[in-house]
Amino acid sequence: MTDTTPAADDWEASLIQAFGVLLGRPLTEYDHGPGVRYGTFYGGNFLDESELDRDPAWLTPAGLRGEETVTVGGLVLLDEEGVPELRFDPSRSYFTVDSKGLPDALARDLDALDAEDGIRGDALAGLLERHTFDLTGPDAPSGAWRISKARIASDGTLLGALKAATALGDSPDALVPYTPPEVLTGTEDDGDEVVAPVAHDGLRSHLRAFAEPGSDILDFQADDTWNRSWAGWQADQWDGLGSLVTQWLGAVDQYEVSVVRLTERAGDEPTTA
């Protein structure tokens, strides 16, 4: 029998094997190839309740055009020492904008978009530049906009989206060993069982933080993932934009991190408004 265990120094092969373990199916079973794109999105109640969904950092012109990534409010995947702040791509994120109270011409163009899923950042950038209007400025009505689906920066591949969802970079240098609190593991050790087949020692320890079904800290929605089907509000919120690959719910459902296989409608190339 052929040994499929990755070599110790083959980082990409180690990632592919580890994520196959985490998802319960090899990454080769997912769609790949030209035109197939994946994204990782951060959302949920916490953004709204903290009003970080209205932080002006989301609307920097360079960020909306896709020329730079941004950090917002120290948002992280886990409150664990060594886990980096999230880097977001506003140009591929989705915004809700209320046209009421905005200049008439801008309001008409916004309404004409009929964007039921929200307005993607690069399309919003085109409108704001055309109308020379600043949604964060003194002339904008209070509460005129919010980010509804914040995309964590990645390269559009499934592997890239999964790395973005688990705070992993392009080398093993940023691995963060994780020891779950006793209150999480109890006598079940579900997360340990999930990651046990991961071949790379450092990845096994790092991904342990993302492998705990039912965790109050970061609940890995493994049952649905392994059943290869999603139901309810988690899946419904992606209708039109994509299909859910997997998801984590943080801080007892206060925020969610979702890996999504994007539809052609969502696109992943720059748009013009």
Side-chain angles (χ1 to χ4, degrees), residues 201-213:
D201 291 342
L203 274 172
R204 188 186 317 113
S205 178
H206 180 102
L207 290 177
R208 175 63 180 81
F210 299 88
E212 183 79 38

Side-chain angles (χ1 to χ4, degrees), residues 14-272:
S14 294
L15 287 169
I16 290 170
Q17 189 269 341
F19 285 129
V21 169
L22 197 64
L23 297 183
R25 56 188 290 200
L27 296 198
T28 53
E29 292 188 7
Y30 292 86
D31 293 334
H32 300 278
V36 178
R37 308 294 282 177
Y38 294 85
T40 301
F41 294 86
Y42 185 103
N45 295 335
F46 173 69
L47 276 178
D48 178 46
E49 293 171 0
S50 65
E51 297 189 352
L52 289 175
D53 57 347
R54 295 174 173 82
D55 192 303
W58 297 115
L59 291 185
T60 64
L64 288 177
R65 290 193 300 263
E67 297 171 356
E68 65 181 19
T69 59
V70 303
T71 58
V72 177
L75 294 176
V76 294
L77 295 171
L78 284 168
D79 186 16
E80 183 87 1
E81 185 176 353
V83 175
E85 289 185 318
L86 290 172
R87 304 292 305 182
F88 291 97
D89 181 357
S91 73
R92 300 295 188 268
S93 298
Y94 288 84
F95 295 81
T96 299
V97 182
D98 185 352
S99 62
K100 185 178 180 181
L102 296 177
D104 290 344
L106 174 58
R108 284 194 299 270
D109 282 354
L110 283 167
D111 292 340
L113 288 178
D114 190 26
E116 60 182 275
D117 302 307
I119 302 170
R120 209 170 73 171
D122 49 4
L124 181 59
L127 285 179
L128 297 178
E129 289 172 5
R130 180 189 306 166
H131 294 279
T132 61
F133 191 81
D134 182 2
L135 279 174
T136 66
D139 294 332
S142 176
W145 67 276
R146 58 180 292 268
I147 194 166
S148 53
K149 291 180 171 67
R151 184 164 172 179
I152 304 172
S154 69
D155 62 6
T157 66
L158 176 57
L159 185 60
L162 290 167
K163 289 195 299 181
T166 55
L168 284 168
D170 295 325
S171 78
D173 297 339
L175 289 170
V176 179
Y178 179 74
T179 302
E182 185 177 350
V183 67
L184 286 186
T185 58
T187 58
E188 296 297 326
D189 291 335
D190 291 338
D192 290 332
E193 182 178 345
V194 171
V195 298
V198 173
H200 189 289
D201 291 342
L203 274 172
R204 188 186 317 113
S205 178
H206 180 102
L207 290 177
R208 175 63 180 81
F210 299 88
E212 183 79 38
S215 166
D216 288 345
I217 295 175
L218 194 61
D219 178 5
F220 179 41
Q221 301 292 284
D223 289 342
D224 287 323
T225 301
W226 292 348
N227 290 336
R228 305 188 188 183
S229 65
W230 291 85
W233 65 270
Q234 294 102 323
D236 293 345
Q237 66 178 314
W238 298 104
D239 285 350
L241 289 180
S243 55
L244 208 49
V245 173
T246 196
Q247 188 179 68
W248 290 262
L249 302 180
V252 193
D253 299 354
Q254 285 302 297
Y255 66 93
E256 67 235 14
V257 177
S258 307
V259 176
V260 179
R261 200 283 203 190
L262 298 167
T263 63
E264 186 176 347
R265 174 180 172 185
D268 212 51
E269 297 300 324
T271 64
T272 56

